[in-house]
Amino acid sequence: KGVGASAFGLPQISFIFILLTMLSLQSLPLMPLLIEERGFMKHETSERLYTEGAHILTTFFVTVPLSLTGAICQTLIIYAFSELAGQFLPTVLGWTLLLFFFFDAIFSSVAAAAADGQQAQTLATPFLVVFMLFNGSIITRATAPVYLRWVFQ
């Protein structure tokens, strides 16, 4: 029996929170792979096997659609198990994909600036902590300290 079978409340909010958290963390373990791929790309472009533009285009036309397809499939499967009403699917799918693209972009930017995978994980932690703590589910506007209430504005 899915969370959609009961009246709206904490189970549904928890389900959405877990779904969004899971999709936002999906790109985090890929940062060391991005850094390793960058090293290969630098070496191969220095040997004139291809240009940086060709690497960017293949990433944009191959990796991004595959990641997007994976995120959509993951969201649809999890949503089907939840048994929530179908009328909420476009909203949930839109928000999950928006959050997926947002965190994928942040983690890719951090990976581009970091020297290695460990440094990338360390640099990504503050971004992740702010969004995880101040999402309105863990710390709400009412429970936030006065000097941090600006986060909810």
Side-chain angles (χ1 to χ4, degrees), residues 92-149:
V92 170
L93 186 62
W95 278 105
T96 54
L97 293 180
L98 183 67
L99 192 70
F100 168 74
F101 276 129
F102 174 74
F103 274 103
D104 191 49
I106 283 185
F107 294 147
S108 294
S109 298
V110 169
D116 60 5
Q118 185 176 3
Q119 184 184 24
Q121 299 281 351
T122 304
L123 290 173
T125 302
F127 295 107
L128 195 59
V129 168
V130 168
F131 290 108
M132 288 295 139
L133 287 179
F134 295 100
N135 60 15
S137 184
I138 295 175
I139 297 177
T140 63
R141 184 180 297 179
T143 61
V146 175
Y147 56 89
L148 289 176
R149 293 211 176 135

